[in-house]
Every structure is written in structure tokens, then in C-alpha cells.
Amino acid sequence: MASEGAPAVGASVPTSGDAPAFDTSVAHVARVYNYWLGGKDNFAADRAAAEQAMAVYPDIALSARANRAFLRRVVTYLVSQAGIRQFLDIGTGIPSANNTHEVAQAIAPESRIVYVDNDPVVLAHARALLTSTPAGATDYIDADLRRTEQILAGAAGTLDFAQPVAIMLMAILQHLSDEDDPVGVVASLLAAVPAGSYLALSHPAKDIEAEKMKAMAERLNQMMAEKVTFRGQAEVAEFFTGLELVEPGMIRVQHWRPDTDEEANSPAALWGGVARKP
Ligand SMILES: C[S@@+](CC[C@H](N)C(=O)[O-])C[C@H]1O[C@@H](n2cnc3c(N)ncnc32)[C@H](O)[C@@H]1O
């Protein structure tokens, strides 16, 4: 169990002497996304790619913020209304405002969260993700989403897979190509959790602002290390096959239980939803 300022035993957090080397010459999505969110953890190549995307889809920065707001509302719903106390948050990103454990533990301090990302910059920031309430726990696993067995084995040190778990895949599945079989990857994660567990995800859309999103994908795929495949509503709905979608269903993220009119009116070209494993 991790406590305030004390990383969980076994967490792969680099100390000051062994920080991983970053390739700063090529844009990486975690840092590009950080730039769109107004963060400072990015380099010239990341800012160039982020700006190129903004030139064809100026609402991308607001889209990123709407995605973070969706994440906050989803975690709030899962803890306060669905009774979830365990989260597997894959594709965590560089820590930002309202990280999953902060939202969950503010409501239920006993919540346990395992973060997973494959970017060395996120790993370097993992300490900020490992601050837990004494009653709960957080851990960080440096792993690729496609290595589901490694993720599940690592997460079992912190999460009890006999109890419901919320699997969070926020704005990550676009980095799996169709050849990576993203539907199969999600299904293998869901197979490891019991009935009463949840899947929560968001995914950039190819059928909202279609021309701008296509142009943005082309630019990002030229400049960014992680390639993107934006998907349409029917393709994203496939991830929820066999699950019970929570109201209002799979919908644009800004329309999923918005707290304010400002949130509801935010321009975001992402599909999102939350569903329960029966
Ligand atoms: C756009 S960010 C989303 C961050 C956060 N989930 C959110 O919604 O605010 C995508 C994150 O997924 C990570 N990522 C991309 N491909 C991945 C993979 N194959 N395995 C693990 N993490 C991956 C990136 O490093 C990045 O941190």
C-alpha cells in the first residue's frame, strides 16, 4: 500500500540518478497532449506537431480539455454511483489536474488505482501518480497496452481481481491499429474482471468534423512516434459488445452527463461511454 509521498513497493519509478533517456527529436503523444492541455512537459518537436494539428483542427486543445472533464465525470460516477473502488487506468498520460486516483480517493479514500503507460516521460512523472491516501493504494506499471498479460499480472499486486474493477481506456485506443486487434485487446482485459466491473473509454472520432479530423490524423502520423487511427461511431461501439451501456450511452464525450452548459457546449470530436459487465 502506498501512502502520501511513499511510492508503492515495486513501482518502477526512476530515482534522480537513473531517469530514462527521452527521444526529444520526435514528437510523442503524451507530450503533444500535455501541450494541448497547457502543460510544460513538452519539447520543440512536440510543440511543432501540436501546432500543426491545431492549424487544421483548432478545437483540438478544447477537445483535450473536454476529454479530461469526461474522465473526471466518469470516475466520479463510477465511485459515487456504481460503487467502484478499483481502477486500471491504461494510457494514463503525464499527470494533469484531476488524475484518476485524486478524483476517486476524494470520494472514497480506500480506492485502489493502477496506472499503465509505455512512455518514458510518463514513467518519469509517475511519482506524482503514486501519492495515495493511507487507506487506498496506487501503483504504476511501465507497459504497452498490447501486452495485456503483463499488465494484468502486474496489476494483481494492487487490485483484487475477484472484486469489480473499472478498466479505463481514455484516448489511447486510437494508438492501436486495426492490425493490433484493439477489440481483442479490450476483450482480453474484460475477460480478467468479474461481473459488475466496468469499461470506460473515449476515442477520437473520424465521423465528427470528418475533414478536419482526417487532416489532423495525417499530420500527426507524419510527425508523431505513435501513429493514430481515428474511428467511427459503429467501430467504437464494438468495444462495448456484450456490456450494458450506462445512460446516456456511447455519445460525444461533452454530452456524457455534463456538469455545466460550458462542458456540454465544448467542441470535442471524441466518442465516449461507460458500460457494465453483466
Ligand atoms: C492522448 S493521451 C491520453 C491520456 C489520458 N488517458 C487522458 O485521457 O487524459 C494517450 C496516452 O496513451 C499512452 N499510450 C499510447 N499508446 C500506448 C500503448 N500502446 N501502451 C501504453 N500506453 C500507450 C501515451 O503514452 C499517452 O500517455
Side-chain angles (χ1 to χ4, degrees):
M1 183 168 69
S3 59
E4 186 72 38
V9 173
S12 333
V13 182
T15 57
S16 53
D18 61 1
F22 311 136
D23 179 2
T24 59
S25 67
V26 179
H28 281 263
V29 63
R31 304 181 319 221
V32 171
Y33 186 71
N34 171 266
Y35 179 77
W36 288 330
L37 288 175
K40 302 255 178 282
D41 298 300
N42 46 71
F43 300 93
D46 308 310
R47 293 189 284 274
E51 295 281 356
Q52 282 292 316
M54 289 164 87
V56 288
Y57 180 49
D59 286 334
I60 181 59
L62 288 172
S63 226
R65 285 173 197 274
N67 185 55
R68 290 299 298 182
F70 173 67
L71 183 154
R72 175 182 47 74
R73 296 194 303 275
V74 165
V75 175
T76 302
Y77 167 84
L78 288 169
V79 178
S80 57
Q81 295 194 48
I84 289 292
R85 296 292 182 268
Q86 304 194 98
F87 292 84
L88 181 55
D89 181 344
I90 310 176
T92 307
I94 294 169
S96 179
N98 294 317
N99 301 300
T100 297
H101 75 287
E102 292 162 345
V103 178
Q105 293 185 341
I107 305 165
E110 70 275 26
S111 300
R112 306 172 78 81
I113 293 89
V114 173
Y115 291 111
V116 181
D117 205 291
N118 68 348
D119 190 303
V121 171
V122 181
L123 173 62
H125 285 273
R127 226 167 252 287
L129 298 167
L130 295 173
T131 56
S132 173
T133 54
T138 57
D139 198 4
Y140 182 89
I141 301 173
D142 179 25
D144 191 297
L145 169 58
R146 287 163 284 212
R147 312 239 359 228
T148 52
E149 282 179 20
Q150 181 194 349
I151 291 172
L152 292 166
T158 304
L159 305 180
D160 175 1
F161 281 98
Q163 299 298 321
V165 177
I167 298 168
M168 311 256 304
L169 294 166
M170 297 295 184
I172 177 175
L173 287 165
Q174 73 276 13
H175 299 301
L176 265 53
S177 67
D178 292 344
E179 289 71 42
D180 289 325
D181 185 19
V183 171
V185 167
V186 173
S188 69
L189 292 169
L190 282 166
V193 295
S197 294
Y198 283 80
L199 171 68
L201 65 82
S202 61
H203 196 301
K206 75 172 183 196
D207 48 359
I208 304 170
E209 302 270 19
E211 281 180 24
K212 292 178 187 174
M213 291 295 280
K214 183 166 183 274
M216 181 169 76
E218 283 167 4
R219 289 190 174 196
L220 289 174
N221 283 337
Q222 280 167 10
M223 299 181 78
M224 210 163 64
E226 301 85 1
K227 305 305 170 201
V228 299
T229 302
F230 295 164
R231 296 187 169 92
Q233 189 170 15
E235 291 170 289
V236 181
E238 253 194 88
F239 294 118
F240 294 107
T241 303
L243 306 180
E244 299 163 350
L245 274 165
V246 167
E247 288 296 317
M250 202 198 81
I251 194 168
R252 292 178 71 170
V253 293
Q254 64 272 47
H255 297 154
W256 198 92
R257 300 176 182 239
D259 286 332
T260 62
D261 286 347
E262 192 188 352
E263 280 188 2
N265 295 328
S266 174
L270 292 127
W271 297 113
V274 177
R276 182 179 181 278
K277 180 173 174 175

